[in-house]
Short mmCIF file of all heavy atoms in Angstrom, two decimals:
data_model
loop_
_atom_site.label_atom_id
_atom_site.label_comp_id
_atom_site.label_asym_id
_atom_site.label_seq_id
_atom_site.Cartn_x
_atom_site.Cartn_y
_atom_site.Cartn_z
N ALA J 1131 -165.85 149.76 -108.02
CA ALA J 1131 -166.02 149.74 -106.57
C ALA J 1131 -165.72 151.13 -106.01
O ALA J 1131 -164.81 151.80 -106.52
CB ALA J 1131 -165.09 148.66 -105.95
N GLU J 1132 -166.40 151.48 -104.98
CA GLU J 1132 -166.26 152.81 -104.38
C GLU J 1132 -165.26 152.77 -103.22
O GLU J 1132 -165.35 151.94 -102.29
CB GLU J 1132 -167.58 153.33 -103.85
CG GLU J 1132 -167.52 154.77 -103.33
CD GLU J 1132 -168.85 155.34 -102.86
OE1 GLU J 1132 -169.72 154.51 -102.47
OE2 GLU J 1132 -169.02 156.54 -102.87
N TYR J 1133 -164.29 153.68 -103.25
CA TYR J 1133 -163.31 153.83 -102.15
C TYR J 1133 -163.33 155.25 -101.67
O TYR J 1133 -163.46 156.21 -102.49
CB TYR J 1133 -161.89 153.48 -102.65
CG TYR J 1133 -161.78 152.06 -103.18
CD1 TYR J 1133 -161.93 151.80 -104.58
CD2 TYR J 1133 -161.55 150.99 -102.35
CE1 TYR J 1133 -161.82 150.54 -105.05
CE2 TYR J 1133 -161.46 149.71 -102.87
CZ TYR J 1133 -161.59 149.48 -104.22
OH TYR J 1133 -161.50 148.22 -104.72
N GLU J 1134 -163.20 155.39 -100.36
CA GLU J 1134 -163.27 156.78 -99.79
C GLU J 1134 -162.03 157.57 -100.16
O GLU J 1134 -162.05 158.78 -100.27
CB GLU J 1134 -163.44 156.72 -98.31
CG GLU J 1134 -164.85 156.35 -97.84
CD GLU J 1134 -165.14 156.72 -96.41
OE1 GLU J 1134 -164.18 157.04 -95.69
OE2 GLU J 1134 -166.32 156.68 -96.03
N GLN J 1135 -160.92 156.84 -100.30
CA GLN J 1135 -159.68 157.52 -100.76
C GLN J 1135 -158.73 156.42 -101.27
O GLN J 1135 -158.89 155.24 -101.05
CB GLN J 1135 -159.01 158.27 -99.58
CG GLN J 1135 -158.47 157.44 -98.48
CD GLN J 1135 -157.79 158.22 -97.40
OE1 GLN J 1135 -158.25 158.20 -96.25
NE2 GLN J 1135 -156.68 158.90 -97.68
N THR J 1136 -157.74 156.87 -102.04
CA THR J 1136 -156.67 156.04 -102.54
C THR J 1136 -155.33 156.48 -102.04
O THR J 1136 -155.02 157.68 -102.14
CB THR J 1136 -156.70 155.97 -104.06
OG1 THR J 1136 -157.92 155.45 -104.59
CG2 THR J 1136 -155.56 155.11 -104.62
N ILE J 1137 -154.58 155.59 -101.45
CA ILE J 1137 -153.23 155.88 -101.01
C ILE J 1137 -152.24 155.09 -101.83
O ILE J 1137 -152.39 153.91 -101.97
CB ILE J 1137 -153.09 155.50 -99.50
CG1 ILE J 1137 -154.10 156.33 -98.67
CG2 ILE J 1137 -151.67 155.72 -99.01
CD1 ILE J 1137 -154.25 155.78 -97.28
N THR J 1138 -151.26 155.75 -102.36
CA THR J 1138 -150.23 155.10 -103.19
C THR J 1138 -148.94 154.96 -102.44
O THR J 1138 -148.46 155.96 -101.84
CB THR J 1138 -150.02 155.90 -104.49
OG1 THR J 1138 -151.27 155.97 -105.19
CG2 THR J 1138 -149.01 155.16 -105.38
N ILE J 1139 -148.38 153.78 -102.42
CA ILE J 1139 -147.08 153.54 -101.79
C ILE J 1139 -146.14 153.05 -102.85
O ILE J 1139 -146.39 152.03 -103.53
CB ILE J 1139 -147.19 152.51 -100.64
CG1 ILE J 1139 -148.11 153.05 -99.56
CG2 ILE J 1139 -145.79 152.18 -100.06
CD1 ILE J 1139 -148.30 152.05 -98.40
N ASP J 1140 -145.00 153.73 -103.01
CA ASP J 1140 -143.94 153.34 -103.93
C ASP J 1140 -142.99 152.38 -103.26
O ASP J 1140 -142.17 152.84 -102.47
CB ASP J 1140 -143.27 154.54 -104.52
CG ASP J 1140 -142.28 154.20 -105.66
OD1 ASP J 1140 -142.05 153.01 -105.90
OD2 ASP J 1140 -141.71 155.13 -106.25
N LEU J 1141 -143.09 151.10 -103.53
CA LEU J 1141 -142.23 150.12 -102.84
C LEU J 1141 -140.76 150.32 -103.19
O LEU J 1141 -139.88 149.96 -102.41
CB LEU J 1141 -142.69 148.70 -103.24
CG LEU J 1141 -144.15 148.32 -102.90
CD1 LEU J 1141 -144.45 146.90 -103.35
CD2 LEU J 1141 -144.39 148.46 -101.38
N ASP J 1142 -140.47 150.89 -104.36
CA ASP J 1142 -139.10 151.03 -104.76
C ASP J 1142 -138.35 152.09 -103.86
O ASP J 1142 -137.12 151.99 -103.72
CB ASP J 1142 -139.05 151.63 -106.21
CG ASP J 1142 -139.38 150.53 -107.24
OD1 ASP J 1142 -139.06 149.38 -107.04
OD2 ASP J 1142 -140.05 150.92 -108.26
N THR J 1143 -139.08 152.95 -103.27
CA THR J 1143 -138.47 154.02 -102.43
C THR J 1143 -138.51 153.74 -100.94
O THR J 1143 -137.94 154.47 -100.16
CB THR J 1143 -139.11 155.36 -102.69
OG1 THR J 1143 -140.48 155.35 -102.27
CG2 THR J 1143 -139.03 155.72 -104.19
N LEU J 1144 -139.21 152.66 -100.54
CA LEU J 1144 -139.30 152.37 -99.12
C LEU J 1144 -137.95 151.97 -98.55
O LEU J 1144 -137.14 151.35 -99.21
CB LEU J 1144 -140.30 151.21 -98.89
CG LEU J 1144 -141.80 151.58 -98.82
CD1 LEU J 1144 -142.56 150.33 -98.36
CD2 LEU J 1144 -142.07 152.77 -97.94
N GLU J 1145 -137.73 152.29 -97.27
CA GLU J 1145 -136.54 151.85 -96.58
C GLU J 1145 -136.92 151.29 -95.23
O GLU J 1145 -138.07 151.45 -94.79
CB GLU J 1145 -135.52 153.00 -96.44
CG GLU J 1145 -136.05 154.26 -95.90
CD GLU J 1145 -134.97 155.37 -95.82
OE1 GLU J 1145 -133.90 155.11 -95.31
OE2 GLU J 1145 -135.27 156.47 -96.29
N PRO J 1146 -135.98 150.54 -94.60
CA PRO J 1146 -136.31 150.00 -93.27
C PRO J 1146 -136.87 151.07 -92.29
O PRO J 1146 -136.27 152.17 -92.17
CB PRO J 1146 -134.98 149.44 -92.78
CG PRO J 1146 -134.24 149.07 -94.06
CD PRO J 1146 -134.65 150.13 -95.02
N THR J 1147 -137.95 150.77 -91.67
CA THR J 1147 -138.72 151.75 -90.91
C THR J 1147 -138.90 151.25 -89.46
O THR J 1147 -139.06 150.06 -89.24
CB THR J 1147 -140.10 151.97 -91.55
OG1 THR J 1147 -139.91 152.42 -92.91
CG2 THR J 1147 -140.93 152.97 -90.79
N VAL J 1148 -138.91 152.21 -88.55
CA VAL J 1148 -139.09 151.90 -87.11
C VAL J 1148 -140.16 152.78 -86.55
O VAL J 1148 -140.21 154.00 -86.87
CB VAL J 1148 -137.76 152.09 -86.31
CG1 VAL J 1148 -137.97 151.83 -84.82
CG2 VAL J 1148 -136.67 151.18 -86.82
N SER J 1149 -141.04 152.21 -85.73
CA SER J 1149 -142.06 152.97 -85.06
C SER J 1149 -141.55 153.26 -83.61
O SER J 1149 -141.37 152.35 -82.83
CB SER J 1149 -143.38 152.18 -85.01
OG SER J 1149 -144.33 152.86 -84.27
N TYR J 1150 -141.43 154.53 -83.30
CA TYR J 1150 -140.94 154.95 -81.97
C TYR J 1150 -142.15 154.99 -80.96
O TYR J 1150 -143.31 155.03 -81.40
CB TYR J 1150 -140.36 156.34 -82.03
CG TYR J 1150 -138.97 156.46 -82.70
CD1 TYR J 1150 -138.47 155.44 -83.54
CD2 TYR J 1150 -138.19 157.58 -82.49
CE1 TYR J 1150 -137.27 155.56 -84.14
CE2 TYR J 1150 -136.96 157.72 -83.13
CZ TYR J 1150 -136.50 156.69 -83.96
OH TYR J 1150 -135.26 156.80 -84.58
N PRO J 1151 -141.87 154.93 -79.70
CA PRO J 1151 -142.90 155.02 -78.66
C PRO J 1151 -143.67 156.37 -78.82
O PRO J 1151 -143.12 157.38 -79.26
CB PRO J 1151 -142.15 154.98 -77.35
CG PRO J 1151 -140.82 154.42 -77.68
CD PRO J 1151 -140.54 154.87 -79.09
N HIS J 1152 -144.96 156.29 -78.44
CA HIS J 1152 -145.71 155.22 -77.89
C HIS J 1152 -146.93 154.87 -78.78
O HIS J 1152 -147.97 154.42 -78.27
CB HIS J 1152 -146.20 155.51 -76.47
CG HIS J 1152 -145.10 155.59 -75.47
ND1 HIS J 1152 -144.51 154.44 -74.99
CD2 HIS J 1152 -144.50 156.63 -74.85
CE1 HIS J 1152 -143.60 154.81 -74.11
NE2 HIS J 1152 -143.52 156.09 -74.01
N LEU J 1153 -146.76 155.11 -80.07
CA LEU J 1153 -147.83 154.78 -81.01
C LEU J 1153 -147.22 154.24 -82.33
O LEU J 1153 -146.19 154.74 -82.76
CB LEU J 1153 -148.73 155.95 -81.34
CG LEU J 1153 -149.75 156.45 -80.31
CD1 LEU J 1153 -150.39 157.73 -80.74
CD2 LEU J 1153 -150.79 155.39 -80.01
N PRO J 1154 -147.85 153.27 -82.95
CA PRO J 1154 -147.34 152.75 -84.22
C PRO J 1154 -147.19 153.81 -85.32
O PRO J 1154 -146.41 153.61 -86.27
CB PRO J 1154 -148.38 151.68 -84.61
CG PRO J 1154 -148.94 151.25 -83.32
CD PRO J 1154 -149.04 152.48 -82.48
N GLU J 1155 -147.92 154.93 -85.21
CA GLU J 1155 -147.86 155.95 -86.24
C GLU J 1155 -146.56 156.79 -86.15
O GLU J 1155 -146.24 157.56 -87.09
CB GLU J 1155 -149.06 156.89 -86.17
CG GLU J 1155 -149.13 157.76 -84.89
CD GLU J 1155 -150.35 158.61 -84.76
OE1 GLU J 1155 -151.42 158.25 -85.32
OE2 GLU J 1155 -150.28 159.63 -84.08
N ASN J 1156 -145.80 156.67 -85.06
CA ASN J 1156 -144.64 157.49 -84.80
C ASN J 1156 -143.44 156.86 -85.53
O ASN J 1156 -142.53 156.36 -84.91
CB ASN J 1156 -144.38 157.65 -83.33
CG ASN J 1156 -143.27 158.61 -82.99
OD1 ASN J 1156 -142.81 159.41 -83.86
ND2 ASN J 1156 -142.82 158.61 -81.77
N THR J 1157 -143.44 156.91 -86.86
CA THR J 1157 -142.41 156.19 -87.65
C THR J 1157 -141.28 157.08 -88.08
O THR J 1157 -141.41 158.31 -88.32
CB THR J 1157 -143.11 155.61 -88.91
OG1 THR J 1157 -143.80 156.64 -89.62
CG2 THR J 1157 -144.07 154.53 -88.50
N HIS J 1158 -140.10 156.40 -88.21
CA HIS J 1158 -138.89 157.05 -88.61
C HIS J 1158 -138.06 156.03 -89.40
O HIS J 1158 -138.15 154.85 -89.16
CB HIS J 1158 -138.03 157.52 -87.39
CG HIS J 1158 -138.73 158.44 -86.50
ND1 HIS J 1158 -138.57 159.81 -86.57
CD2 HIS J 1158 -139.67 158.23 -85.51
CE1 HIS J 1158 -139.33 160.38 -85.65
NE2 HIS J 1158 -140.01 159.47 -85.00
N PRO J 1159 -137.23 156.51 -90.32
CA PRO J 1159 -136.26 155.56 -90.98
C PRO J 1159 -135.33 154.96 -89.97
O PRO J 1159 -134.85 155.65 -89.03
CB PRO J 1159 -135.52 156.45 -91.96
CG PRO J 1159 -136.40 157.67 -92.17
CD PRO J 1159 -137.11 157.86 -90.88
N ALA J 1160 -135.04 153.70 -90.12
CA ALA J 1160 -134.15 153.02 -89.16
C ALA J 1160 -132.79 153.72 -89.10
O ALA J 1160 -132.14 153.68 -88.04
CB ALA J 1160 -134.00 151.52 -89.56
N ARG J 1161 -132.31 154.25 -90.19
CA ARG J 1161 -131.00 154.89 -90.19
C ARG J 1161 -130.88 156.05 -89.29
O ARG J 1161 -129.75 156.52 -88.97
CB ARG J 1161 -130.65 155.33 -91.62
CG ARG J 1161 -131.64 156.21 -92.28
CD ARG J 1161 -131.33 156.58 -93.71
NE ARG J 1161 -132.44 157.18 -94.40
CZ ARG J 1161 -132.86 158.44 -94.28
NH1 ARG J 1161 -132.22 159.24 -93.45
NH2 ARG J 1161 -133.90 158.88 -94.97
N GLU J 1162 -132.01 156.58 -88.81
CA GLU J 1162 -131.98 157.73 -87.91
C GLU J 1162 -131.87 157.32 -86.43
O GLU J 1162 -131.81 158.21 -85.54
CB GLU J 1162 -133.24 158.57 -88.09
CG GLU J 1162 -133.37 159.26 -89.44
CD GLU J 1162 -134.61 160.11 -89.57
OE1 GLU J 1162 -135.43 160.13 -88.59
OE2 GLU J 1162 -134.82 160.72 -90.63
N GLY J 1163 -131.78 156.04 -86.17
CA GLY J 1163 -131.80 155.58 -84.78
C GLY J 1163 -130.49 155.34 -84.07
O GLY J 1163 -130.46 154.70 -83.03
N ARG J 1164 -129.38 155.82 -84.69
CA ARG J 1164 -128.08 155.49 -84.19
C ARG J 1164 -127.86 155.96 -82.74
O ARG J 1164 -127.11 155.33 -81.99
CB ARG J 1164 -126.94 156.08 -85.07
CG ARG J 1164 -126.91 155.58 -86.49
CD ARG J 1164 -125.75 156.11 -87.24
NE ARG J 1164 -125.76 155.67 -88.66
CZ ARG J 1164 -126.35 156.34 -89.66
NH1 ARG J 1164 -127.03 157.45 -89.39
NH2 ARG J 1164 -126.31 155.87 -90.87
N GLY J 1165 -128.55 156.98 -82.34
CA GLY J 1165 -128.37 157.47 -80.96
C GLY J 1165 -129.22 156.82 -79.94
O GLY J 1165 -129.19 157.20 -78.75
N ILE J 1166 -129.99 155.86 -80.31
CA ILE J 1166 -130.96 155.22 -79.42
C ILE J 1166 -130.46 153.88 -78.98
O ILE J 1166 -130.55 152.88 -79.69
CB ILE J 1166 -132.39 155.11 -80.03
CG1 ILE J 1166 -132.88 156.51 -80.45
CG2 ILE J 1166 -133.33 154.47 -79.06
CD1 ILE J 1166 -134.16 156.48 -81.21
N LYS J 1167 -129.87 153.81 -77.76
CA LYS J 1167 -129.32 152.63 -77.22
C LYS J 1167 -130.46 151.70 -76.77
O LYS J 1167 -131.45 152.13 -76.24
CB LYS J 1167 -128.38 152.92 -76.03
CG LYS J 1167 -127.70 151.75 -75.38
CD LYS J 1167 -126.85 152.18 -74.26
CE LYS J 1167 -126.14 150.98 -73.60
NZ LYS J 1167 -127.08 149.99 -73.08
N ILE J 1168 -130.30 150.42 -76.99
CA ILE J 1168 -131.37 149.45 -76.63
C ILE J 1168 -130.81 148.41 -75.61
O ILE J 1168 -129.64 148.18 -75.47
CB ILE J 1168 -131.89 148.75 -77.85
CG1 ILE J 1168 -130.84 147.82 -78.52
CG2 ILE J 1168 -132.45 149.74 -78.87
CD1 ILE J 1168 -131.37 146.89 -79.60
N ASP J 1169 -131.79 147.75 -74.94
CA ASP J 1169 -131.48 146.73 -73.94
C ASP J 1169 -131.92 145.35 -74.39
O ASP J 1169 -131.44 144.34 -73.84
CB ASP J 1169 -132.15 147.09 -72.62
CG ASP J 1169 -131.78 148.48 -72.10
OD1 ASP J 1169 -130.68 148.59 -71.55
OD2 ASP J 1169 -132.57 149.41 -72.29
N GLN J 1170 -132.85 145.28 -75.32
CA GLN J 1170 -133.47 144.03 -75.64
C GLN J 1170 -133.99 144.04 -77.09
O GLN J 1170 -134.39 145.06 -77.58
CB GLN J 1170 -134.61 143.71 -74.66
CG GLN J 1170 -135.41 142.44 -74.90
CD GLN J 1170 -136.36 142.16 -73.81
OE1 GLN J 1170 -135.98 141.83 -72.66
NE2 GLN J 1170 -137.68 142.29 -74.08
N ILE J 1171 -134.05 142.87 -77.70
CA ILE J 1171 -134.80 142.68 -78.96
C ILE J 1171 -135.71 141.50 -78.76
O ILE J 1171 -135.40 140.55 -78.01
CB ILE J 1171 -133.88 142.46 -80.21
CG1 ILE J 1171 -133.13 141.13 -80.09
CG2 ILE J 1171 -132.94 143.64 -80.41
CD1 ILE J 1171 -132.77 140.52 -81.41
N VAL J 1172 -136.85 141.52 -79.42
CA VAL J 1172 -137.77 140.39 -79.49
C VAL J 1172 -138.10 140.18 -80.98
O VAL J 1172 -138.59 141.09 -81.64
CB VAL J 1172 -139.06 140.65 -78.70
CG1 VAL J 1172 -140.07 139.52 -78.95
CG2 VAL J 1172 -138.76 140.73 -77.20
N ILE J 1173 -137.82 138.97 -81.45
CA ILE J 1173 -138.19 138.57 -82.80
C ILE J 1173 -139.22 137.43 -82.71
O ILE J 1173 -138.89 136.35 -82.23
CB ILE J 1173 -136.99 138.21 -83.61
CG1 ILE J 1173 -136.02 139.36 -83.74
CG2 ILE J 1173 -137.39 137.69 -85.00
CD1 ILE J 1173 -134.67 139.03 -84.44
N GLY J 1174 -140.41 137.69 -83.15
CA GLY J 1174 -141.47 136.67 -83.05
C GLY J 1174 -142.85 137.38 -83.17
O GLY J 1174 -143.00 138.37 -83.82
N SER J 1175 -143.84 136.72 -82.57
CA SER J 1175 -145.23 137.21 -82.49
C SER J 1175 -146.09 136.79 -83.67
O SER J 1175 -145.56 136.23 -84.67
CB SER J 1175 -145.32 138.78 -82.33
OG SER J 1175 -145.24 139.41 -83.60
N CYS J 1176 -147.39 137.09 -83.64
CA CYS J 1176 -148.29 136.80 -84.77
C CYS J 1176 -147.96 137.66 -85.97
O CYS J 1176 -148.41 137.37 -87.08
CB CYS J 1176 -149.75 136.99 -84.38
SG CYS J 1176 -150.20 138.67 -83.81
#
């Protein structure tokens, strides 16, 4: 089968990740978010 590209993800090295505003691509490790105070959490959705 033909693929335009192959992307490899090593699951062993992944860590909890957070996407910052205002695009899903703006990702950072969760451990870097200590200085970001929050007002609400939502757990749910599709």
Side-chain angles (χ1 to χ4, degrees):
E1132 184 178 27
Y1133 302 95
E1134 286 199 346
Q1135 68 180 117
T1136 297
I1137 299 166
T1138 302
I1139 298 177
D1140 187 353
L1141 301 179
D1142 288 324
T1143 64
L1144 278 190
E1145 51 182 311
T1147 302
V1148 177
S1149 174
Y1150 288 18
H1152 291 284
L1153 285 174
E1155 68 184 26
N1156 187 13
T1157 54
H1158 301 261
R1161 56 182 165 78
E1162 294 180 359
R1164 296 184 184 90
I1166 302 174
K1167 184 180 179 299
I1168 66 169
D1169 303 281
Q1170 177 174 291
I1171 66 153
V1172 172
I1173 297 175
S1175 85
C1176 60

